[in-house]
Amino acid sequence: AIPDWPISEAGEILNIAAASDDQTLVVSLTGGAVRWIDSVEGSQVRQAFGAPGGATSLSFTADGRRLLTVDGTAGTVELWQL
């Protein structure tokens, strides 16, 4: 069964990225939130706020220790330490 992830109240989903641990998903939302979700437990692990328009692109570094977010509307790039 698919868990009921706590994301829908914060805006529409713009993008989803999976970490190399096969357990962590990162979801970017229209309100600017970036949420780390434990895909096994269905629980939110962390939340941060980036550009107000939301991250239109998400990508983990090869070592899985950082997340790159891009807001194509605002033209901003952020690198998050995990």
Side-chain angles (χ1 to χ4, degrees), residues 31-34 48-55 69 71 76 78 80:
V34 176
F49 289 91
T69 61
D71 180 344
T76 58
E78 294 182 80
W80 307 81

Short mmCIF file of all heavy atoms in Angstrom, two decimals, residues 31-34 48-55 69 71 76 78 80:
data_model
loop_
_atom_site.label_atom_id
_atom_site.label_comp_id
_atom_site.label_asym_id
_atom_site.label_seq_id
_atom_site.Cartn_x
_atom_site.Cartn_y
_atom_site.Cartn_z
N GLY A 31 4.42 26.04 -2.73
CA GLY A 31 4.56 27.07 -1.71
C GLY A 31 6.00 27.35 -1.30
O GLY A 31 6.25 28.17 -0.45
N GLY A 32 6.97 26.65 -1.90
CA GLY A 32 8.37 26.85 -1.58
C GLY A 32 8.94 25.82 -0.64
O GLY A 32 10.14 25.80 -0.38
N ALA A 33 8.10 24.94 -0.10
CA ALA A 33 8.59 23.92 0.83
C ALA A 33 9.32 22.81 0.08
O ALA A 33 8.97 22.45 -1.04
CB ALA A 33 7.43 23.31 1.62
N VAL A 34 10.36 22.30 0.73
CA VAL A 34 11.06 21.10 0.27
C VAL A 34 10.98 20.14 1.45
O VAL A 34 11.40 20.45 2.55
CB VAL A 34 12.53 21.40 -0.08
CG1 VAL A 34 13.26 20.13 -0.46
CG2 VAL A 34 12.61 22.43 -1.20
N ALA A 48 12.29 22.21 4.74
CA ALA A 48 13.01 23.46 4.58
C ALA A 48 12.23 24.30 3.58
O ALA A 48 11.35 23.80 2.88
CB ALA A 48 14.42 23.20 4.07
N PHE A 49 12.54 25.58 3.54
CA PHE A 49 11.88 26.46 2.58
C PHE A 49 12.91 27.11 1.68
O PHE A 49 13.89 27.68 2.16
CB PHE A 49 11.05 27.53 3.31
CG PHE A 49 9.84 26.95 3.97
CD1 PHE A 49 9.88 26.51 5.28
CD2 PHE A 49 8.66 26.80 3.26
CE1 PHE A 49 8.78 25.95 5.88
CE2 PHE A 49 7.55 26.24 3.85
CZ PHE A 49 7.61 25.81 5.17
N GLY A 50 12.69 27.00 0.40
CA GLY A 50 13.57 27.59 -0.59
C GLY A 50 12.89 28.76 -1.25
O GLY A 50 12.20 29.54 -0.60
N ALA A 51 13.06 28.86 -2.55
CA ALA A 51 12.47 29.95 -3.31
C ALA A 51 10.95 29.91 -3.22
O ALA A 51 10.35 28.83 -3.21
CB ALA A 51 12.91 29.86 -4.76
N PRO A 52 10.29 31.05 -3.13
CA PRO A 52 8.84 31.10 -2.97
C PRO A 52 8.06 30.35 -4.06
O PRO A 52 7.00 29.81 -3.79
CB PRO A 52 8.52 32.59 -3.02
CG PRO A 52 9.78 33.25 -2.64
CD PRO A 52 10.89 32.37 -3.12
N GLY A 53 8.59 30.28 -5.27
CA GLY A 53 7.90 29.60 -6.35
C GLY A 53 8.02 28.10 -6.30
O GLY A 53 7.32 27.39 -7.01
N GLY A 54 8.91 27.59 -5.46
CA GLY A 54 9.13 26.15 -5.37
C GLY A 54 10.24 25.68 -6.29
O GLY A 54 10.55 26.32 -7.29
N ALA A 55 10.84 24.57 -5.95
CA ALA A 55 11.94 24.00 -6.74
C ALA A 55 11.37 23.26 -7.94
O ALA A 55 10.64 22.30 -7.79
CB ALA A 55 12.79 23.08 -5.89
N THR A 69 18.69 22.14 -5.60
CA THR A 69 17.34 22.55 -6.00
C THR A 69 17.46 23.75 -6.92
O THR A 69 18.30 24.61 -6.74
CB THR A 69 16.45 22.92 -4.79
OG1 THR A 69 17.02 24.03 -4.09
CG2 THR A 69 16.29 21.75 -3.85
N ASP A 71 15.07 26.73 -8.87
CA ASP A 71 13.79 27.40 -9.10
C ASP A 71 13.92 28.09 -10.45
O ASP A 71 14.54 29.14 -10.58
CB ASP A 71 13.49 28.42 -8.00
CG ASP A 71 12.17 29.14 -8.21
OD1 ASP A 71 11.62 29.10 -9.33
OD2 ASP A 71 11.68 29.76 -7.26
N THR A 76 17.04 30.74 -9.35
CA THR A 76 17.92 30.51 -8.21
C THR A 76 18.29 29.04 -8.10
O THR A 76 17.54 28.16 -8.49
CB THR A 76 17.25 30.95 -6.89
OG1 THR A 76 16.03 30.24 -6.73
CG2 THR A 76 16.98 32.44 -6.89
N GLU A 78 20.04 26.32 -5.14
CA GLU A 78 20.45 26.12 -3.76
C GLU A 78 21.04 24.73 -3.60
O GLU A 78 20.59 23.78 -4.23
CB GLU A 78 19.27 26.28 -2.80
CG GLU A 78 18.70 27.69 -2.77
CD GLU A 78 17.57 27.83 -1.78
OE1 GLU A 78 17.88 27.97 -0.58
OE2 GLU A 78 16.42 27.75 -2.21
N TRP A 80 21.80 22.00 -0.65
CA TRP A 80 21.44 21.65 0.73
C TRP A 80 22.36 20.54 1.23
O TRP A 80 22.52 19.54 0.55
CB TRP A 80 20.00 21.15 0.79
CG TRP A 80 18.98 22.05 0.19
CD1 TRP A 80 18.67 22.17 -1.13
CD2 TRP A 80 18.14 22.95 0.88
NE1 TRP A 80 17.67 23.09 -1.30
CE2 TRP A 80 17.33 23.59 -0.08
CE3 TRP A 80 17.96 23.29 2.23
CZ2 TRP A 80 16.36 24.53 0.26
CZ3 TRP A 80 17.00 24.23 2.56
CH2 TRP A 80 16.22 24.84 1.59
#
